[in-house]
Amino acid sequence: MGRATRMKITRLDAPRCSGGENPLWDAEREVLHYIDNSGMKVHSFDPASGRARTLEMPAVITTLVLRAGGGAVVTLRTGIHFLDLDTGALELIHPLPDPPSHVYNDGKVDSRGRFLIGASTANFAEPGPDGGLFRLDPDLGLTRLDSGIHFSNSPCWSPDDRTFYFSDSWINTTYAYDYDIDTGAVSNRRVFVNTAELGGLPDGATVDSGGRVWAALYRAGKIAAFNPDGSVSRLIDVPVDLPSSVAFGGPGLDRLFITTIAHDLAAGGGDSGGDDLAGSLFVIDGLDARGRPEPRFAG
């Protein structure tokens, strides 16, 4: 009888970030893409070789997803762009107004190739529910799906595509919606979990092959796995206070990569408890959980 694999958390020798976010496993290149939002960079890290490549961005970057035809779609403070991952060239497809009424933050692609993008308030000094949820279709049409969100995070789907998860981090709440995979419409928003009792804000999230929602709990120094009924399945301590997002990756999609943030801007810009590991990239092995391949934008 084989022995159970022991869980292990490792700090990777990868570029550190002031605002690490958006880990995304690229199965074709066998690299992990992740962003430094306030550092205005896109990093691509090969865990096998330890090599990394960095692209400089001209503005704060908040989301990156891959395109079926190659390259990526990214959201910057200037709007939605196509990105050439080889050259760093950007093509603006949907600008934000100046000054913006909202900013984009966090997004994922559904199994039909649509890009759902969270929007957050642009008023960081006095946050209001000015954000919401948008859908970018493969024909590049942009549709608002929901409103009333302060700080958007955590977009992801159940394995059967029938439930969409999305958070308002400002009020510690992750919502579940009914999702129509044929039309890309959301409905029946309800509370999935409130993370206040766990001591942190729900940040970036992903869903494993069994339907559990894995979420970074910002300020709590924890990763939580929630069952489809919202109950806590796992609660894992990580070495820093500000984990920001999670993604399954590696050849078997059984390694959980974790981005972290060095400075807590919402708390006045102070560092994350003076931890010299803050901003590092981590991975958890031995979770006995497996992710699913992230779809690519079809446009």
Side-chain angles (χ1 to χ4, degrees):
M1 182 179 294
R3 293 184 299 173
T5 304
R6 177 177 295 180
M7 188 190 77
K8 180 182 179 183
I9 303 176
T10 305
R11 175 185 175 272
L12 296 170
D13 187 15
R16 290 177 66 178
C17 300
S18 56
E21 284 278 8
N22 200 120
L24 175 64
W25 181 254
D26 185 338
E28 290 186 5
R29 300 188 182 210
E30 294 192 336
V31 299
L32 184 83
H33 303 292
Y34 63 106
I35 64 177
D36 186 345
N37 55 16
S38 54
M40 301 188 293
K41 295 179 177 66
V42 173
H43 299 299
S44 300
F45 174 69
D46 179 354
S49 68
R51 290 193 293 268
R53 186 167 182 268
T54 297
L55 297 174
E56 302 282 345
M57 296 290 105
V60 170
I61 176 172
T62 54
T63 311
L64 180 149
V65 297
L66 298 173
R67 293 180 69 193
V73 190
V74 295
T75 60
L76 306 181
R77 286 288 163 81
T78 50
I80 306 170
H81 304 249
F82 289 147
L83 170 65
D84 187 316
L85 287 169
D86 294 316
T87 67
L90 289 163
E91 177 187 349
L92 179 63
I93 57 174
H94 279 286
L96 279 170
D98 185 17
S101 56
H102 61 263
V103 295
Y104 295 121
N105 188 62
D106 213 351
K108 291 276 178 65
V109 175
D110 75 7
S111 64
R112 300 286 179 86
R114 310 178 188 96
F115 183 18
L116 267 67
I117 310 169
S120 298
T121 179
N123 187 350
F124 297 105
E126 298 181 6
D130 308 320
L133 178 66
F134 290 81
R135 186 187 70 233
L136 182 68
D137 290 316
D139 65 3
L140 304 188
L142 187 66
T143 303
R144 179 185 278 271
L145 300 179
D146 201 7
S147 301
I149 300 294
H150 297 77
F151 288 111
S152 64
N153 270 305
S154 319
C156 50
W157 286 265
S158 60
D160 63 5
D161 290 325
R162 296 177 63 182
T163 305
F164 175 68
Y165 301 101
F166 185 58
S167 295
D168 188 337
S169 299
W170 185 252
I171 57 174
N172 299 94
T173 300
T174 300
Y175 297 108
Y177 297 75
D178 293 339
Y179 193 74
D180 187 332
I181 190 59
D182 292 324
T183 65
V186 297
S187 60
N188 189 28
R189 185 172 90 179
R190 66 268 186 194
V191 173
F192 174 62
V193 293
N194 185 293
T195 61
E197 291 187 357
L198 299 176
L201 287 66
D203 208 328
T206 191
V207 179
D208 68 20
S209 59
R212 289 182 296 179
V213 179
W214 294 78
L217 297 185
Y218 187 84
R219 296 186 186 154
K222 299 179 187 298
I223 304 300
F226 299 101
N227 294 313
D229 64 2
S231 61
V232 177
S233 171
R234 300 279 299 271
L235 200 59
I236 301 168
D237 291 319
V238 294
V240 295
D241 292 336
L242 303 179
S244 58
S245 193
V246 292
F248 285 98
L253 293 178
D254 56 356
R255 311 185 77 195
L256 189 70
F257 292 91
I258 306 167
T259 52
T260 68
I261 288 178
H263 297 282
D264 192 350
L265 298 178
D271 64 28
S272 54
D275 195 329
D276 60 4
L277 298 178
S280 298
L281 180 68
F282 295 86
V283 67
I284 305 181
D285 291 297
L287 280 176
D288 193 27
R290 190 177 303 275
R292 299 171 299 139
E294 287 291 344
R296 295 176 179 238
F297 180 62

